[in-house]
Amino acid sequence: MPKKVNHDERRNHLAEAAWRIIRRDGLEAVSVRNVAREAGMSLGSLRHYFASQSELLAFSMRLVSERSYQRVEVFQYSGNPREDVERLIHELMPIDEERRAEAEVWLAFVGRAAADPAIQALKQEVHNGLYSGFCQMMEYLDAVNLLRQDLDLDREIKMLHALVDGLVVHSVIYPEMVTPEDMIQLISSHLDKLMA
Amino acid sequence: MPKKVNHDERRNHLAEAAWRIIRRDGLEAVSVRNVAREAGMSLGSLRHYFASQSELLAFSMRLVSERSYQRVEVFQYSGNPREDVERLIHELMPIDEERRAEAEVWLAFVGRAAADPAIQALKQEVHNGLYSGFCQMMEYLDAVNLLRQDLDLDREIKMLHALVDGLVVHSVIYPEMVTPEDMIQLISSHLDKLMA
């Protein structure tokens, strides 16, 4: 289906142009006109893929979690559950330029006014997707009896999710103070405390 | 010094008008003109207090941490260090409408493009102020021998700071899923793990 592939590629190409604008000038600079120019495409061609600015924005935000899912899909499990969960968490943190771009775009959406219902729904959709990921990781560790028995699993899932997103935010705010090495070490140290 | 007090009050009144705009329409809607209208003040009067939009924005962001400092200044210590630290942390989380407003404004700034040097410096300034607060809390718990001796204090400070900010972000994204009660319980449960 070469036509379908081409269609997906074009949409991704346009969303990536939107990402560059978000990182450089902020979310408010994203208009169909600016994105078409950034992508080197005509406004008419862009409108073939995205009928409106809000469609383009929604696709751009979903692409952030989509990219994480894609990395998780091709993830090479080592068979060591603790190590695998740590490495899966690394896939969600800005430890390289690719993931840093995702983190900045995610944070741009997250910082949008809570009073905007369409954006708020989009934030919650992406939040739910990531939350499910953390559920699966913690349930996996629990299923192989690696977790302490005195833990409240629901609470620990929310905690881990909040810790990871807090580190993502701090790393975007202050990359010199919260480095990739710091994030990796902090996650490891947090998991240590949960282990039986 | 009634004149000075009046001057401070006017600046706060204008910053609060900016906060309402940020929460309702987003940070990009903050212009000196919009804020003057929202505050019921003439543009000329506003310019007496803020010469530019960027001065107004900087003051609005600093007011978020200023409000936390003010609450910490009048904080009534119980003498129970663990309880006091927990209650100090609550001062930084959106557990009521006042603190929710601060959280939403903080997040609006945090979500601004990292490529904007003035906003990035402001984010880092506020980050440093809060980080110092977490240093003091953890050093206090350590000084009264409440912390486990095998902890790396620097790492635990970064961890607690990230956990709190992660909960702030999640509560703004999803107030029904991360409630004030959840945040209070998660912080308590996290501190339990650090205690000797």
Side-chain angles (χ1 to χ4, degrees):
Chain A
M1 297 186 293
K3 222 175 171 183
K4 176 72 172 64
V5 170
N6 189 266
H7 187 72
D8 285 349
E9 267 174 16
R10 279 296 185 96
R11 287 173 81 97
N12 286 344
H13 176 69
L14 285 161
E16 281 159 10
W19 281 22
R20 288 195 296 277
I21 295 173
I22 292 168
R23 296 185 70 192
R24 193 178 60 223
D25 307 316
L27 199 54
E28 65 282 7
V30 174
S31 64
V32 284
R33 195 169 299 272
N34 284 349
V35 172
R37 191 187 308 122
E38 177 76 26
M41 203 183 274
S42 75
L43 196 54
S45 300
L46 180 145
R47 287 203 193 279
H48 180 64
Y49 299 99
F50 299 106
S52 66
Q53 188 213 25
S54 61
E55 265 187 30
L56 174 58
L57 281 177
F59 186 84
S60 300
M61 175 61 155
R62 288 191 185 112
L63 188 60
V64 173
S65 39
E66 194 57 43
R67 286 277 160 90
S68 302
Y69 302 150
Q70 285 166 3
R71 285 198 300 270
V72 169
E73 263 178 26
V74 299
F75 184 80
Q76 299 283 329
Y77 286 85
S78 74
N80 177 330
R82 158 72 189 259
E83 188 192 313
D84 285 338
V85 165
E86 276 197 63
R87 285 171 48 233
L88 281 166
I89 294 173
H90 301 166
E91 296 294 342
L92 305 172
M93 299 197 303
I95 58 171
D96 58 22
E97 174 53 27
E98 183 186 339
R99 280 166 272 200
R100 187 169 174 82
E102 293 166 11
E104 288 187 13
V105 171
W106 171 78
L107 194 53
F109 277 94
V110 163
R112 285 290 272 210
D116 180 332
I119 295 279
Q120 191 70 358
L122 202 54
K123 289 192 241 178
Q124 295 187 348
E125 180 192 318
V126 168
H127 180 92
N128 284 335
L130 290 168
Y131 179 73
S132 300
F134 285 103
C135 286
Q136 286 169 30
M137 287 186 237
M138 289 293 281
E139 281 160 6
Y140 176 39
L141 290 178
D142 192 42
V144 294
N145 292 316
L146 279 179
L147 294 185
R148 279 166 42 186
Q149 289 304 300
D150 63 335
L151 298 177
D152 177 324
L153 201 59
D154 287 342
R155 199 181 291 166
E156 293 302 332
I157 293 165
K158 280 189 180 178
M159 184 111 72
L160 181 61
H161 188 183
L163 175 63
V164 170
D165 277 354
L167 288 173
V168 171
V169 170
H170 287 181
S171 164
V172 171
I173 293 178
Y174 229 133
E176 305 80 9
M177 198 169 157
V178 181
T179 64
E181 293 69 34
D182 286 331
M183 290 188 277
I184 288 170
Q185 202 173 46
L186 286 169
I187 291 302
S188 177
S189 163
H190 178 72
L191 290 177
D192 282 343
K193 296 197 195 83
L194 309 182
M195 293 286 147
Chain B
M1 300 183 291
K3 219 174 170 185
K4 175 72 170 67
V5 169
N6 189 267
H7 186 74
D8 284 350
E9 269 175 13
R10 280 295 187 95
R11 287 173 80 97
N12 285 345
H13 176 69
L14 285 161
E16 282 160 9
W19 282 23
R20 288 195 296 278
I21 294 173
I22 291 168
R23 296 185 70 192
R24 194 178 60 223
D25 308 317
L27 199 55
E28 65 283 5
V30 175
S31 64
V32 284
R33 195 169 300 271
N34 284 348
V35 172
R37 191 189 306 122
E38 177 78 25
M41 202 184 276
S42 74
L43 197 55
S45 301
L46 180 146
R47 287 204 192 278
H48 180 64
Y49 298 99
F50 298 107
S52 65
Q53 188 213 26
S54 61
E55 265 187 30
L56 174 59
L57 281 177
F59 186 85
S60 302
M61 174 60 157
R62 287 191 185 112
L63 188 61
V64 174
S65 39
E66 194 57 44
R67 287 277 161 90
S68 303
Y69 301 151
Q70 284 165 5
R71 286 197 299 269
V72 170
E73 264 177 25
V74 300
F75 185 80
Q76 300 282 330
Y77 286 86
S78 73
N80 177 330
R82 159 70 189 259
E83 189 192 314
D84 285 339
V85 165
E86 275 197 64
R87 285 172 47 234
L88 281 166
I89 294 173
H90 301 165
E91 296 294 342
L92 305 172
M93 297 196 304
I95 60 171
D96 58 22
E97 174 52 26
E98 183 187 340
R99 281 165 270 201
R100 188 169 174 81
E102 294 166 11
E104 288 187 13
V105 171
W106 169 78
L107 194 53
F109 278 94
V110 162
R112 286 289 272 209
D116 180 331
I119 295 278
Q120 190 71 358
L122 202 54
K123 289 193 242 176
Q124 295 188 347
E125 182 192 316
V126 168
H127 181 93
N128 284 335
L130 291 167
Y131 179 73
S132 299
F134 285 104
C135 287
Q136 285 168 32
M137 288 187 238
M138 289 293 281
E139 281 161 7
Y140 177 39
L141 291 177
D142 193 42
V144 295
N145 291 317
L146 280 178
L147 293 185
R148 278 166 42 186
Q149 290 303 301
D150 62 335
L151 298 176
D152 177 324
L153 202 59
D154 286 344
R155 200 181 290 168
E156 292 303 331
I157 294 165
K158 280 189 181 178
M159 185 111 72
L160 181 61
H161 188 183
L163 176 62
V164 170
D165 277 354
L167 288 172
V168 171
V169 170
H170 287 181
S171 165
V172 171
I173 294 178
Y174 230 133
E176 305 81 10
M177 197 170 158
V178 181
T179 65
E181 293 68 36
D182 286 331
M183 288 187 277
I184 288 169
Q185 203 173 47
L186 286 170
I187 291 302
S188 177
S189 161
H190 178 71
L191 289 177
D192 282 344
K193 295 197 195 84
L194 310 182
M195 293 287 150

